[in-house]
Amino acid sequence: MSKEAVAPASIASYIDHTLLKPEASEAEVLKVCAEAVEYKFKSVCVNPIWVKTVTKALKGSGVLTCSVVGFPMGATPSDVKAFEARGAVLDGADEIDMVINMAAARANDKGALVDDITAVAEAVHAGEAILKVIIETSMLTDEQKVIACEAAVEAGADFVKTSTGFNGGGATVEDVALMRKTVGPDVGVKASGGVRSLADAQAMIAAGATRIGASSGIAIVKGEQGSSDY
């Protein structure tokens, strides 16, 4: 089977079922958890305040708990991001999606990016969790995207990720392909932001994505069109 022909049932295992609205209620979070279990999504991705709730709801299901750090701006000190990540992992997060220092990325300051990501990577990996690094592709030139991805690899990240979905733009096939080319075969690539249909997800996977972040996961696996921005 070619990547372009990945079936909807298989697509589910790529999807981080996502609810990152700051106003999300406990009932909405629990609904997303139930959906993730039903459709066998890879994880549920939520803001840090919901990690304990999600971990409890997903216990024994095989669905992972994912949380975000420095989200959505990335403009907090690295030690604060590391503290936030450490707390989320202690609360039960299996995976952490961090936002990089965008000012450093725009300034082509690879050293600052490595330092920023390393601080979080050490905290996450100490808890035996996975780190995904959001480079916010819509705000960067191709050269800056490459530098950010190289910094993530150097810092020991497990994945690079296209977007928060909150700062304009989202995943594109071209960006996913560039990120895959840059990080090589051993680091994951997560496409997120604007992936709303089965065709979108299949295109991202064909370009090299190994994970899809979406709040339209159910529409994707049903072959329908989602409407969410994320």
Side-chain angles (χ1 to χ4, degrees):
M1 178 183 291
S2 68
K3 284 187 175 181
E4 290 85 351
V6 172
S10 299
I11 291 281
S13 68
Y14 286 77
I15 293 174
D16 291 344
H17 197 36
T18 301
L19 179 59
L20 292 169
K21 297 186 302 182
E23 74 276 18
S25 67
E26 183 176 16
E28 289 173 315
V29 170
L30 291 174
K31 181 175 182 286
V32 165
C33 290
E35 291 168 349
V37 173
E38 178 182 356
Y39 289 93
K40 297 181 172 59
F41 293 130
K42 183 67 174 182
S43 81
V44 169
C45 189
V46 292
N47 285 302
I49 59 170
W50 296 114
V51 170
K52 287 184 180 179
T53 301
V54 169
T55 300
K56 181 178 179 181
L58 296 176
K59 186 176 181 180
S61 69
V63 180
L64 302 177
T65 300
C66 176
S67 190
V68 291
V69 163
F71 193 89
M73 305 306 292
T76 47
S78 302
D79 58 348
V80 175
K81 293 180 189 178
F83 178 85
E84 188 178 18
R86 192 174 297 111
V89 171
L90 286 172
D91 283 347
D94 303 293
E95 300 185 339
I96 297 294
D97 291 15
M98 72 165 285
V99 187
I100 60 170
N101 178 340
M102 295 307 303
R106 298 265 295 219
N108 299 314
D109 190 342
K110 186 176 179 181
L113 290 174
V114 171
D115 290 345
D116 185 48
I117 299 164
T118 297
V120 181
E122 289 176 350
V124 171
H125 291 154
E128 300 184 348
I130 293 295
L131 177 64
K132 309 192 203 88
V133 173
I134 307 171
I135 69 169
E136 203 68 281
T137 51
S138 66
M139 298 177 70
L140 303 178
T141 66
D142 282 355
E143 179 186 4
Q144 291 165 346
K145 294 166 195 174
V146 169
I147 291 171
C149 286
E150 290 175 345
V153 173
E154 187 173 331
D158 303 289
F159 280 76
V160 289
K161 175 180 171 181
T162 59
S163 323
T164 62
F166 282 75
N167 290 320
T172 68
V173 166
E174 293 77 15
D175 283 339
V176 169
L178 177 64
M179 293 164 72
R180 171 53 65 204
K181 179 180 178 181
T182 303
V183 303
D186 298 326
V187 174
V189 175
K190 178 175 174 179
S192 66
V195 183
R196 303 185 186 95
S197 69
L198 176 59
D200 289 343
Q202 288 172 326
M204 298 300 173
I205 293 167
T210 49
R211 195 74 68 86
I212 303 292
S215 54
S216 298
I218 294 174
I220 290 169
V221 299
K222 287 185 172 181
E224 299 171 353
Q225 180 69 40
S227 59
S228 173
D229 289 336
Y230 191 87

